[in-house]
Amino acid sequence: MKLLTIVIPCYYVEQYLAECLDSILDSKYNDVLEVLAINDGSKDQTDAVAKEYCQKDSRIRYISQENSGVIAARNRAVSESSGEFILPLDA
């Protein structure tokens, strides 16, 4: 179990997602966190960016779902998280 899960709902965020993930991965708390990126039906390159980061770092998990809204994306991430604490973060 990780201490912190950072939840990132993603909807057409291809231009921001890499910078967001880089800033998280540069933190000094890397050994205690997991990152869940939830693609909520984006048709841009959000999917490709998220998958690229998943291959780079095992702490990042990626889930893709049909567009259901930001609340549904956050709820899905909460149900799949393993962190003791959850931090929602917009990309």
Side-chain angles (χ1 to χ4, degrees):
M1 174 187 255
K2 295 289 186 176
L3 179 64
L4 177 65
T5 299
I6 298 176
V7 171
I8 307 170
C10 301
Y11 187 70
Y12 289 95
V13 295
E14 71 175 293
Q15 63 185 5
Y16 309 109
L17 187 56
E19 183 177 353
C20 176
L21 293 172
D22 285 339
S23 69
I24 293 167
L25 298 176
D26 285 342
S27 85
K28 63 182 178 179
Y29 302 106
N30 283 336
D31 57 333
V32 298
L33 68 85
E34 76 172 336
V35 178
L36 291 180
I38 311 293
N39 185 358
D40 192 39
S42 299
K43 303 294 185 209
D44 63 355
Q45 293 300 308
T46 296
D47 185 70
V49 173
K51 287 179 178 179
E52 176 185 334
Y53 273 82
C54 285
Q55 291 178 346
K56 290 182 189 178
D57 197 306
S58 64
R59 294 168 294 172
I60 300 173
R61 291 179 33 214
Y62 174 70
I63 300 166
S64 184
Q65 66 182 26
E66 289 187 28
N67 182 256
S68 303
V70 68
I71 300 302
R74 284 186 181 140
N75 287 341
R76 171 99 185 260
V78 167
S79 72
E80 305 225 8
S81 70
S82 66
E84 185 175 346
F85 299 99
I86 297 172
L87 173 70
L89 179 66
D90 291 332

